Amino acid sequence: MKSRAKAVRSRKAPTAGTPSAVDVTGRTVRVDAQRNLDALLEAAKAVFDASGVDAGVREIAKRAGVGIATVYRHFPQRSDLVAAVYRREVDACVEAAATLAKEHEPREALVRWIHRYMSFIASKRGLVAAYRAGVPAFEALPAYFRKNLEPALQALLDAAAAAGRIRHDVEPYELLWAIANLSTPPSGVGPQYSRRMVGLLIDGLRYGAGQGAPASKASRRERG
Amino acid sequence: MKSRAKAVRSRKAPTAGTPSAVDVTGRTVRVDAQRNLDALLEAAKAVFDASGVDAGVREIAKRAGVGIATVYRHFPQRSDLVAAVYRREVDACVEAAATLAKEHEPREALVRWIHRYMSFIASKRGLVAAYRAGVPAFEALPAYFRKNLEPALQALLDAAAAAGRIRHDVEPYELLWAIANLSTPPSGVGPQYSRRMVGLLIDGLRYGAGQGAPASKASRRERG
DNA sequence: GCAGGAAACGGAACGTGGTTCCGATTCACT
DNA sequence: AGTGAATCGGAACCACGTTCCGTTTCCTGC
């Protein structure tokens, strides 16, 4: 992909000796563009943390000290910016899966990771709602999330199922989505809501351990 | 609006055969106002069914053959219109609970009602997302939903718990919210997603039957 | 009937959001 | 330094929910 590594020209260095980055296409990236990109990501992260992912583009641009168009050149849609900001945290979540798998027995690792995942989702106010409501072209956002989180959860599920601790007929993507949607409590309910509901879901996983019956069928049978 | 202390006293039977409706405050309602209200509700229902609850106010007004202001006079906020439209369906859902309780044994009645409730939610595209995202004053909408649906589900839960078929430590409101949130499948997943996930939830309810341990604790215990 | 006035009306106007456009600016390379 | 292109900033545009206000319609007391 990268055709050549670009060395720094000894002209004036705007950002303290930073080597000019290279595009995926091999083009050199202008230092101001790179600087703005960094500022944008940092500002977006700060604003999202403070006001949720519903924060306006103008606010982010202002905080980053750039114009609106600069935002849209780097990120064709608002959702692309959201995805870029959370990419790093998704990666961390994926790494956590491997770590937990080594340090705990299969089911415990699964439960702990689910809680880890819940924390990530819960801290992103409005992420799920935005993802949902954003009908037009929010397709870019779930792509990265799914591509990385699904295999991580799949590994945990397989290990726990192999150990006979949970049923083995659950799709990881469905579980990811379900947990994400359970991570927003309604108003007027204690903060433990999410844990309780996801706890129910996990108990449902355990309920069918070793049976292999689909959840939908199991729920309809008169006697377990 | 200016502060207008209206003191309309006793009315007289107005002209044509249609008896003019009366306000909750006892004021007579103008026939054109009533006609527009009806047209508005009908149009809104049609548009919501066709385009989801995210449909614009202008579209609804146009379909009803009225101006924008007319919408806002009858419904101070968009969410009030949504709530009004769905009030009828909520009532139907509540009635279904009583019917099912008579025709089936407790747990079966509970499961069947949950599926009934899921159908209602699923047919209202974007309802949950709007409810969630609508931070400002979407408080009016859940009020009616909760006030009516919560007791209905509570009765079903009590009956099933008394029969020893499910755990008895689940809050009905939490369950309503959880199911509603599980009723929106992610893109690229079969339509059976919701049934599977709610099935897991129901299995979780059965898992702890007769134990009474909170879901959150049960989910963390090493052995059941 | 009819006239007066309040209730209800329609649609333009406002504020805010995401997105696009375009002239001005800044950078990279010779 | 010079030149062309990549990048920039912010005004402009569109769609949305909501508000304002001049106009119309209906009820009512005569």
Side-chain angles (χ1 to χ4, degrees):
Chain A
M1 288 302 175
K2 292 184 175 182
S3 57
R4 56 180 181 151
K6 194 81 170 63
V8 184
R9 295 268 178 201
S10 295
R11 303 187 65 92
K12 66 175 178 179
T15 38
T18 311
S20 59
V22 172
D23 205 340
V24 280
T25 66
R27 297 181 314 184
T28 65
V29 179
R30 274 173 52 164
V31 293
D32 57 344
Q34 183 64 45
R35 175 165 20 93
N36 282 333
L37 178 60
D38 294 340
L40 217 38
L41 283 171
E42 186 177 356
K45 180 169 167 49
V47 171
F48 286 163
D49 285 347
S51 316
V53 286
D54 292 335
V57 176
R58 287 170 178 79
E59 182 183 352
I60 297 169
K62 185 178 179 183
R63 176 153 189 154
V66 302
I68 311 268
T70 304
V71 179
Y72 280 90
R73 182 160 316 95
H74 290 298
F75 307 99
Q77 301 207 354
R78 223 189 72 89
S79 58
D80 297 325
L81 175 56
V82 177
V85 168
Y86 291 146
R87 206 160 283 191
R88 194 177 312 247
E89 301 194 48
V90 169
D91 293 343
C93 215
V94 170
E95 288 175 21
T99 305
L100 289 171
K102 287 176 188 167
E103 296 179 353
H104 302 277
E105 56 98 16
R107 198 190 57 79
E108 180 68 14
L110 173 64
V111 172
R112 281 178 184 259
W113 186 81
I114 287 177
H115 288 156
R116 170 72 169 78
Y117 173 64
M118 286 173 66
S119 304
F120 163 59
I121 296 293
S123 67
K124 309 306 167 227
R125 261 186 305 163
L127 213 202
V128 179
Y131 173 22
R132 249 194 206 175
V135 185
F138 240 119
E139 294 303 314
L141 198 155
Y144 190 84
F145 279 54
R146 179 171 188 175
K147 173 169 174 266
N148 290 273
L149 291 175
E150 189 170 16
L153 177 55
Q154 179 77 71
L156 292 171
L157 284 173
D158 287 347
R165 309 305 295 274
I166 63 164
R167 75 208 316 164
H168 56 271
D169 59 354
V170 177
E171 289 296 322
Y173 182 47
E174 296 189 347
L175 209 49
L176 285 172
W177 178 251
I179 294 169
N181 279 295
L182 288 177
S183 292
T184 326
S187 57
V189 151
Q192 289 297 315
Y193 157 84
S194 299
R195 288 190 111 82
R196 280 194 292 270
M197 291 302 110
V198 175
L200 275 184
L201 217 56
I202 294 174
D203 286 348
L205 287 176
R206 302 172 75 186
Y207 179 82
Q211 302 193 58
S216 56
K217 284 186 185 173
S219 73
R220 287 203 210 121
R221 279 207 310 274
E222 199 48 41
R223 298 225 163 232
Chain B
M1 281 247 179
K2 291 86 181 178
S3 58
R4 50 186 71 163
K6 298 273 356 183
V8 178
R9 54 256 185 79
S10 61
R11 63 185 181 85
K12 192 175 61 172
T15 58
T18 37
S20 60
V22 173
D23 206 341
V24 280
T25 65
R27 297 181 312 185
T28 66
V29 178
R30 274 172 53 164
V31 293
D32 56 344
Q34 184 64 47
R35 176 165 19 93
N36 282 333
L37 179 60
D38 294 340
L40 218 37
L41 283 172
E42 187 178 354
K45 179 169 167 49
V47 171
F48 287 163
D49 285 348
S51 317
V53 287
D54 292 334
V57 176
R58 284 166 179 81
E59 182 182 353
I60 297 169
K62 186 178 179 183
R63 176 154 191 153
V66 302
I68 310 268
T70 303
V71 179
Y72 279 91
R73 183 160 317 95
H74 291 297
F75 307 99
Q77 302 209 353
R78 223 188 72 90
S79 59
D80 297 324
L81 175 56
V82 176
V85 168
Y86 291 146
R87 205 161 285 191
R88 196 177 310 250
E89 301 195 48
V90 168
D91 293 343
C93 214
V94 169
E95 289 176 20
T99 305
L100 290 171
K102 287 175 187 167
E103 297 178 352
H104 302 275
E105 55 99 16
R107 198 189 57 79
E108 179 69 15
L110 173 64
V111 172
R112 280 177 184 261
W113 186 81
I114 287 177
H115 288 157
R116 170 74 170 76
Y117 172 64
M118 285 174 68
S119 304
F120 165 59
I121 296 294
S123 67
K124 310 306 167 224
R125 261 186 304 165
L127 214 203
V128 179
Y131 173 23
R132 249 194 204 173
V135 185
F138 242 119
E139 295 302 315
L141 198 154
Y144 190 84
F145 279 53
R146 178 171 188 174
K147 173 168 173 269
N148 292 273
L149 292 175
E150 188 171 18
L153 178 55
Q154 179 78 70
L156 292 171
L157 284 173
D158 287 347
R165 310 304 296 275
I166 63 163
R167 75 209 315 166
H168 55 269
D169 59 354
V170 177
E171 290 295 324
Y173 182 46
E174 297 189 347
L175 209 49
L176 285 172
W177 178 251
I179 294 169
N181 278 296
L182 289 177
S183 292
T184 326
S187 58
V189 151
Q192 288 298 315
Y193 158 83
S194 300
R195 287 190 113 84
R196 279 195 291 271
M197 290 303 110
V198 175
L200 275 184
L201 216 57
I202 294 174
D203 285 348
L205 287 176
R206 303 172 74 186
Y207 179 81
Q211 303 193 56
S216 55
K217 284 185 183 173
S219 74
R220 290 204 206 120
R221 278 206 312 272
E222 199 48 40
R223 294 226 161 232

